[in-house]
Amino acid sequence: MVLVIKPVFQDLFYPISLLEKISMIEHDSYYKNQFHLTFEERVKTNYDHPLSFDTDLIIEQIKGLLAGRPVGIPILYCN
């Protein structure tokens, strides 16, 4: 099983993940890259909106995990 969760809930599910075969992925790791935007443009982004996430990549990586393949979870850089 793969759970995509917000970091605030990670501690809640962690004990369960030790007992079951569960992979947890932080949803916040999948914000769309915005390095092409200026700082002023980035601060206007609504990071709570679903379109701020790279959903295609999340789905692709979940399918990979379910197939037993390793995936590289993106690292969020905040500059």
Side-chain angles (χ1 to χ4, degrees):
M1 178 186 304
V2 177
L3 294 177
V4 180
I5 61 173
K6 296 298 278 181
V8 69
F9 298 115
Q10 188 169 353
D11 290 343
L12 179 67
F13 288 98
Y14 182 73
I16 299 167
S17 72
L18 296 175
L19 302 173
E20 303 289 332
K21 292 184 177 181
I22 298 175
S23 297
M24 291 191 294
I25 299 174
E26 289 187 11
H27 198 226
D28 288 359
S29 296
Y30 291 88
Y31 282 112
K32 289 182 180 175
N33 183 334
Q34 294 191 334
F35 288 130
H36 64 284
L37 300 176
T38 66
F39 176 77
E40 290 77 19
E41 292 171 315
R42 289 194 309 259
V43 297
K44 295 177 185 176
T45 299
N46 178 357
Y47 290 101
D48 292 323
H49 194 282
L51 292 177
S52 65
F53 294 97
D54 191 344
T55 304
D56 292 338
L57 180 59
I58 295 171
I59 292 169
E60 176 186 321
Q61 291 196 336
I62 289 173
K63 288 179 179 179
L65 288 170
L66 293 173
R69 294 188 303 270
V71 298
I73 305 299
I75 297 172
L76 178 64
Y77 292 104
C78 299
N79 292 353

